[in-house]
Amino acid sequence: MLDLALIDDLFPADLPDPAHWEEHYPARDLPEGAKVTRFAPSPTGFVHIGGVYTATIAKDVAHRSGGVYFVRIEDTDQSREVAGVAEQFDRAFSYFGIASDESGDAPWGPYLQSERERIYLSYVRELMREGLAYPCFCTRDELAEITKRQQATKVPTGYYGSWARWRDADPDEVAAKLRAGEPYVVRFRSPGTEGRVSFTDAIRGRLEHEANRNDVVILKTSASSPRLPTYHFAHAVDEHLMRVNLVIRGEEWISSVPLHLQLFEALGFPPPTYAHVAPLMVQDGGSKRKMSKRKDPEASVDFYLEAGYPAPAVLYYLRGLANGRLAELPLEQALAEPIRLEECGVAGPLVDMVKLADISGDHIATLPGPVVLDAVADWAAQRSVSGTAIGAQRDPELVEVIASNRALAERAIDVERVGVDNPRKDLVRWSDFRPLYGFFFPSLFTPVTDPSDERLGGLDPSLVRKLAADFADNYRYDPDQPTWFAQIRELAARHGFAPNPKAYKQDPDAYPGMLRDAANVIRVALTGSTRSPDLHAVAGALGPEEVVRRVRALVG
């Protein structure tokens, strides 16, 4: 074992002992049974929708128990940090309501691991003093050679037992290396337990896994500054000092639990309860696979923000994936009901974007028109986070149009939504508003001026002009739909259109088309499309002056 004075010389002279931190981070004053949970993303990549899923569960469980949920940024791997991640975290946390209950000045902060360096160093030094950790001077090449030999002899790879070159090295040799200033890492002296270890998972019940034999690195190279720990060591120290008693995280960490339990024991900390959440899955051909940031655009949180999926709809869907019973409840009730860990499945739930679209459309259909318009305008005013216009407003023109034509916008959004048994549900995302409703606004609508336009169904251009002129000259609005449509029926009759499909079928050469063909001329003139919401409702929203203006554009 190394001389204690030599160990202490490796650390700042004013570094506190662990007792200082135990006093600095008191136990939380919470009701019995309260859960303290955390969401701990790493800035080495953007937040995955699976992260929102896990954080939603963690926050709900904490709050239902009278506990606390917080966000801790695990930025110990600073060489792999991605630019812009902090801003993306803030967008995700705010939009989906998973922001931390605690701010940076709370008693259990800081919440950036890179700002907790001295805390980790205190505990690393303590383990070294107790002989539970040691410096290792192996280079990358030496570690690669160890792995190569292990593979050749068909033994498990890793740094353990007789393969751990510096585990039981001569203290004088170690001291000489340290005095020479050679770079080193600090490794945990594993108990080297063989066999399997069991533990209870709050979602999966009793689990068994291979015990950890490796002397893992707990403090990164002395050649770096700041001197930061690895994830495993920071996890043990932070969960204890921040008084986390329930760790909800992805199932990919199950294999690390044996190591984490060893670290908690070596540090003298009571371990938290673990709950490992199954990953979100996607259908890929005839099989399922984990959702991937590289393969699936819907994996990124920014996908939902950029498209404008309403947060309540996404959260409702995610909660239903976590607990199937919530998917059977109305949205508002499901958002108010608790998520129960014991109801979370062990098989990854399948993400179905068609289902999400249905949920989103249903949700938007229940919102009052002014609420929808405010949400669309807010979305359009936000800065784009993807594509070629990053940093610019998503749709400044739409923001201005809605603001300056508010009465028209409210009439437009009510078409086939108000006063009908089955309101339209095609508005699924805020980004759908322009293609679905843009034609209502004169500044966004391009009048149809060519009577030979293919959307007019191939009617003779001169007939199209006559129809348009006749309609415009005699147009009158009536709030009664049958009365209003009668003028189109009369218009078609005056210009020789068949009154019904049967008559047209009997003698197609006798007519230029059917009633629906004449009505289509008016539909295309008003909406620019052969398919549209109810034409009477559209005309009512536009107003007589705009109806006549658009139809007369076809006259030339």
Side-chain angles (χ1 to χ4, degrees):
M1 182 171 170
L2 286 178
D3 181 75
L4 292 181
L6 181 58
I7 292 173
D8 288 350
D9 283 345
L10 301 177
F11 298 88
D14 63 345
L15 189 67
D17 284 332
H20 167 82
W21 302 115
E22 295 291 338
E23 182 178 349
H24 183 79
Y25 293 103
R28 294 174 181 268
D29 184 15
L30 295 171
E32 184 177 353
K35 303 301 181 186
V36 179
T37 67
R38 88 296 189 268
F39 177 48
S42 168
T44 56
F46 295 107
V47 178
H48 190 290
I49 193 64
V52 175
Y53 175 67
T54 301
T56 297
I57 296 172
K59 187 167 189 174
D60 191 87
V61 169
H63 286 184
R64 303 287 180 179
S65 69
V68 173
Y69 156 88
F70 64 84
V71 176
R72 182 180 67 233
I73 306 301
E74 304 201 329
D75 60 342
T76 59
D77 194 355
Q78 296 187 325
S79 65
R80 295 177 54 226
E81 283 191 19
V82 175
V85 164
E87 293 78 9
Q88 198 255 4
F89 283 2
D90 289 342
R91 290 194 300 271
F93 299 161
S94 174
Y95 194 76
F96 290 110
I98 53 174
S100 178
D101 295 342
E102 299 176 341
S103 59
D105 58 357
W108 293 273
Y111 295 86
L112 282 172
Q113 286 186 333
S114 59
E115 296 178 1
R116 300 171 68 86
E117 177 187 13
R118 286 173 61 80
I119 300 173
Y120 305 129
L121 291 178
S122 291
Y123 285 95
V124 170
R125 183 181 64 185
E126 189 65 19
L127 289 186
M128 292 186 71
R129 286 171 171 175
E130 296 174 2
L132 296 175
Y134 62 91
C136 171
F137 302 91
C138 282
T139 65
R140 289 177 181 270
D141 289 343
E142 288 171 334
L143 292 173
E145 179 61 26
I146 290 172
T147 300
K148 183 179 178 181
R149 285 164 34 209
Q150 289 170 333
Q151 291 171 338
T153 54
K154 295 183 169 42
V155 299
T157 58
Y159 195 89
Y160 63 91
S162 61
W163 299 99
R165 162 74 175 83
W166 293 96
R167 178 184 172 99
D168 296 312
D170 185 305
D172 291 338
E173 183 184 6
V174 174
K177 289 272 191 182
L178 291 173
R179 292 191 182 98
E182 293 201 23
Y184 65 93
V185 298
V186 176
R187 290 183 180 270
F188 171 57
R189 188 182 297 275
S190 165
T193 308
E194 295 292 336
R196 301 181 70 79
V197 62
S198 63
F199 55 94
T200 299
D201 185 284
I203 291 174
R204 299 160 185 269
R206 200 69 178 166
L207 294 178
E208 279 193 2
H209 209 280
E210 184 178 6
N212 171 63
R213 66 168 67 87
N214 281 297
D215 288 3
V216 298
V217 174
I218 59 174
L219 187 65
K220 297 179 184 180
T221 177
S222 57
S224 66
S225 181
R227 193 84 188 275
L228 295 175
T230 58
Y231 166 81
H232 302 294
F233 190 72
H235 161 68
V237 172
D238 286 343
E239 310 310 6
H240 172 67
L241 292 180
M242 301 174 96
R243 309 305 173 182
V244 174
N245 55 19
L246 175 61
V247 174
I248 300 175
R249 61 186 183 182
E251 71 172 19
E252 66 272 17
W253 292 107
I254 290 177
S255 62
S256 296
V257 172
L259 166 60
H260 295 165
L261 294 178
Q262 288 179 352
L263 288 170
F264 277 103
E265 183 176 1
L267 290 162
F269 301 157
T273 298
Y274 287 103
H276 291 93
V277 178
L280 299 181
M281 309 290 284
V282 294
Q283 193 73 37
D284 190 352
S287 61
K288 297 178 184 179
R289 60 167 172 79
K290 290 182 182 180
M291 182 178 277
S292 165
K293 288 182 181 180
R294 291 185 298 276
K295 296 180 180 179
D296 307 305
E298 66 271 25
S300 170
V301 166
D302 283 341
F303 170 86
Y304 301 88
L305 274 63
E306 198 67 22
Y309 283 91
V314 178
L315 291 172
Y316 169 70
Y317 183 55
L318 293 178
R319 292 170 73 88
L321 293 180
N323 284 179
R325 67 183 164 82
L326 299 180
E328 305 302 320
L329 300 176
L331 184 144
E332 293 297 333
Q333 184 180 352
L335 294 180
E337 287 286 318
I339 295 174
R340 297 173 183 148
L341 290 180
E342 63 270 21
E343 293 181 17
C344 291
V346 297
L350 184 66
V351 174
D352 183 345
M353 295 303 293
V354 175
K355 178 65 174 176
L356 175 58
D358 288 343
I359 289 171
S360 187
D362 288 344
H363 170 61
I364 292 175
T366 68
L367 301 176
V371 172
V372 173
L373 293 173
D374 289 345
V376 170
D378 181 66
W379 168 85
Q382 295 296 318
R383 301 292 176 182
S384 180
V385 295
S386 64
T388 58
I390 293 178
Q393 278 190 323
R394 291 193 178 106
D395 196 338
E397 184 181 29
L398 185 58
V399 175
E400 171 60 26
V401 163
I402 292 175
S404 59
N405 299 273
R406 185 68 184 200
L408 171 59
E410 291 187 7
R411 293 196 303 271
I413 199 65
D414 284 348
V415 169
E416 291 188 345
R417 281 172 38 95
V418 175
V420 295
D421 293 333
N422 296 303
R424 64 186 296 191
K425 298 178 180 179
D426 52 346
L427 183 60
V428 169
R429 306 162 297 185
W430 306 134
S431 59
D432 294 333
F433 183 85
R434 180 190 271 263
L436 290 174
Y437 290 90
F439 74 85
F440 280 98
F441 303 96
S443 62
L444 300 182
F445 180 74
T446 301
V448 182
T449 58
D450 182 1
S452 61
D453 191 298
E454 63 180 10
R455 290 170 289 180
L456 299 171
L459 292 177
D460 183 273
S462 63
L463 177 57
V464 170
R465 290 194 184 95
K466 291 175 183 178
L467 274 173
D470 192 350
F471 182 87
D473 289 343
N474 297 285
Y475 179 69
R476 62 193 182 281
Y477 178 74
D478 195 292
D480 179 64
Q481 195 276 342
T483 302
W484 180 86
F485 191 76
Q487 66 189 308
I488 295 180
R489 193 182 303 277
E490 294 164 3
L491 174 73
R494 288 196 299 272
H495 291 272
F497 286 80
N500 53 61
K502 182 178 179 181
Y504 183 79
K505 188 175 182 179
Q506 288 177 344
D507 191 2
D509 293 334
Y511 306 100
M514 295 178 282
L515 169 61
R516 70 183 183 193
D517 298 315
N520 181 62
V521 172
I522 307 305
R523 185 181 305 279
V524 171
L526 296 187
T527 71
S529 175
T530 58
R531 301 181 65 183
S532 74
D534 176 73
L535 201 54
H536 171 254
V538 169
L542 291 175
E545 183 178 342
E546 180 64 12
V547 167
V548 171
R549 185 186 76 85
R550 293 188 182 191
V551 174
R552 202 172 289 285
L554 267 174
V555 177

